[in-house]
């Protein structure tokens, strides 16, 4: 199910949000990758009762998948609702297909 709006809070470098993404998972296309994944996920699943993971798979050319983790309720002691993290994952099977 695609999402209409999901907040991306400032967060912290080692915890969640924009500051974590900027420190640990930055790329020049991070905005587009997050937007595309939330708008057109190829799959999604519930990580726990408060958190859903959205995946955009088979990124061209054979780059694996992009993962966006979203909290719907409270994330730990922070109480945030929104994007916890987002990052590209290389998949071993993707390399085998290329």
């Amino acid at each position: 199910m695609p999402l209409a709006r999901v907040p991306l809070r400032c967060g912290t470098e080692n915890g969640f949000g924009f500051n974590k993404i900027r420190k640990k998972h930055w790329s020049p296309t991070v905005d587009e990758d997050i937007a595309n994944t939330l708008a057109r996920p190829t799959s999604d699943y519930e990580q726990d009762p408060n958190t859903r993971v959205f995946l955009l798979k088979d990124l061209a050319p054979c780059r694996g998948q992009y993962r966006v983790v979203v909290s719907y309720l409270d994330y730990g002691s922070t109480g945030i609702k929104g994007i916890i993290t987002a990052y590209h994952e290389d998949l071993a099977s993707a390399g085998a297909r290329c």
Side-chain angles (χ1 to χ4, degrees), residues 14-91:
N14 295 316
F16 67 93
F18 174 78
N19 288 324
K20 178 181 182 180
I21 294 168
R22 183 177 65 187
K23 180 179 179 185
K24 297 184 177 185
H25 309 295
W26 192 255
S27 74
T29 60
V30 71
D31 291 340
E32 294 88 9
D33 292 337
I34 291 172
N36 288 336
T37 302
L38 293 177
R40 294 178 291 285
T42 51
S43 66
D44 62 280
Y45 65 90
E46 189 175 87
Q47 180 170 291
D48 59 48
N50 300 336
T51 310
R52 183 161 286 285
V53 177
F54 294 86
L55 302 171
L56 182 60
K57 295 184 180 179
D58 296 325
L59 297 173
C62 299
R63 291 182 37 215
Q65 67 186 13
Y66 202 78
R67 178 181 298 258
V68 179
V69 181
V70 176
S71 173
Y72 289 108
L73 299 173
D74 294 339
Y75 177 65
S77 62
T78 65
I80 78 150
K81 296 174 187 149
I83 297 172
I84 297 170
T85 192
Y87 55 93
H88 174 261
E89 290 183 305
D90 289 320
L91 302 175

